[in-house]
Amino acid sequence: MFKYVVLSLSFCFFACATQTTGTAQKFKTAEEYSKAKEFKPGKLVIVQGPTSDHETNINVLAPRLKNYIYIVVTPDGKELAVEKYETIQPEILLWKIDKLNIKNLEPNKDYTLKVVDEFRSSKTTVDTRTFRALDVKGYKARFAYASCMADDYRFTEVIDPMWDRMKSLNPDFIILNGDVVYVDSFEFVERKKATELDIWQRFIDSFNRLPMYKWTTLKPVFATWDDHDFGTNDGARDFPSKQAARKIFLGFFGGKNIPGVYQLENESVYFSLNAFHQRMLFLDDRYFRQPNKEQKEAEKFAHWGEKQHNWIMNTLNADGTPAWLFNGNQFFSGVDLSYKESIQSNNPAHFQKILEDLKSVKAPVVMASGDIHFSEVMRIPTDKLGYETYELTSSSMHSYTGSGWDNPLRVPGAFSKEFNFMLINSTSKDGGLEIDVESWGLADKPYFKNNFRVRK
Ligand SMILES: [Fe+2]
């Protein structure tokens, strides 16, 4: 007992008397931390998902025993209604996803989201973020475009500066086009064997490591998957955990449909975004895919399945609004290499059908892909679709990279094998698109810049 008293007294002496270290850095006392009612942003994983000019969806990864209170405040201090329309709470997890929908927003205003923990009749703000709506009625989309983000220890020094670069360029929104989590990295989960728990755990670990999900200023994210976030390398329709993977992926990135702007088709993860006088179709290259290996016949709809294929073409034929097609794998192979996937190489019969159908729809299209761990721009000559267009491939944010390969379709100079993402300005004009693209990474200037126009 005596000893305890002495220790208590000496603790009080240092804690109460000292508020600075030798380098004069201020810190709170332990008692102040214990009694604090507000903490620095970034405790939780928070994703701002599908968003329009008046509505947004926000998904919060919360501890399963907490019933957090969510408060949204306008710039002039008024509270907006927050609808918690769903909680995804698997029994096997210590976490749950609270799915929030907020309406009555206006573009170009900063809103605040507060996450409040009420515990034993005391309230603590455990996380605070700001967010905006998107000016989807305009003509210009300014977004960061990225794929392939490994949380492997090898990239420890790279991950933070890469996301700092993206944050400093301040895009209006972010498009993630696959391999946003490496479920079957060689550290934890064997290929083709991922269970639902494996997928949850890899998503949660990876999202806790990637800075974007902790940013004080949220950015709307629109995402589709490729093989590694689907759950297995070169995955296809025969992957046993594909329904669990879909639930988890949409849990983090999905939201309520926003009429006229965001529409999930409820088949797998594919959806459309109708914004900036453009359409963006986010495609699913895994859920319905014919497995690459041991193909006895090249199926006519091998890459997307017939229903998704018809949805794409019907959407593009509804009117002439110019469109982007985002697909994890490359559309055009450029060169045929046994270890690299593309629609052209893996699904040649479907590839021919896609070209034929794209020729006849009303809308001009630009293609965008990821996956290959370098970035490039391909010019697609007029004989393919009846007009000149382009395919942009953005990869990797931080993942394993080799030396790449030559590609006869590549626009000279439009290539980078450094860690990078694209910053894209896409303007809808005269029935077509004017596109500026820059490849950004650790360097303080772009690795390449390119601009082009697509018109039917
Ligand atoms: Fe990748």
Coordinates of all heavy atoms in Angstrom, one line a residue, residues 148 179 182 228 371 373 395 399, ligand 1:
C148 N -4.8 -1.0 -58.4 CA -3.7 -1.8 -57.9 C -3.0 -1.2 -56.7 O -2.0 -0.4 -56.9 CB -2.7 -2.2 -59.0 SG -3.4 -3.1 -60.4
D179 N -8.4 -4.2 -58.0 CA -7.3 -4.5 -57.1 C -7.1 -3.4 -56.1 O -6.0 -3.0 -55.8 CB -6.0 -4.7 -57.9 CG -6.0 -6.0 -58.8 OD1 -7.0 -6.7 -58.7 OD2 -5.1 -6.2 -59.6
Y182 N -5.7 -6.6 -52.2 CA -5.1 -7.9 -52.6 C -5.5 -8.9 -51.6 O -4.8 -9.2 -50.6 CB -3.6 -7.8 -52.8 CG -3.2 -7.1 -54.1 CD1 -3.2 -5.7 -54.2 CD2 -3.0 -7.8 -55.2 CE1 -2.9 -5.1 -55.4 CE2 -2.7 -7.2 -56.4 CZ -2.6 -5.8 -56.5 OH -2.3 -5.2 -57.7
H228 N -8.2 -9.4 -57.8 CA -7.7 -9.6 -56.4 C -8.7 -9.1 -55.4 O -8.7 -9.6 -54.3 CB -6.3 -8.9 -56.3 CG -5.3 -9.6 -57.1 ND1 -4.8 -10.9 -56.8 CD2 -4.7 -9.3 -58.3 CE1 -3.9 -11.3 -57.7 NE2 -3.8 -10.3 -58.6
D371 N -4.9 -2.9 -63.9 CA -4.4 -4.3 -63.9 C -2.9 -4.5 -64.2 O -2.3 -5.4 -63.6 CB -5.3 -5.2 -64.8 CG -4.8 -6.6 -64.9 OD1 -4.5 -7.2 -63.8 OD2 -4.7 -7.1 -66.0
H373 N 0.0 -3.0 -64.0 CA 1.1 -2.4 -63.2 C 2.1 -1.5 -64.0 O 3.3 -1.4 -63.7 CB 1.9 -3.6 -62.5 CG 1.0 -4.3 -61.5 ND1 1.4 -5.1 -60.6 CD2 -0.4 -4.2 -61.4 CE1 0.4 -5.6 -59.9 NE2 -0.7 -5.0 -60.3
S395 N -2.2 2.1 -63.8 CA -1.8 1.1 -62.8 C -0.3 1.3 -62.6 O 0.4 1.7 -63.5 CB -2.0 -0.3 -63.4 OG -1.7 -1.3 -62.6
S399 N 2.2 -1.4 -56.3 CA 2.2 -2.8 -56.4 C 3.4 -3.2 -57.2 O 4.2 -2.4 -57.7 CB 0.9 -3.3 -57.1 OG 0.8 -4.7 -56.9
Ligands
FE1 FE -3.0 -5.5 -59.7

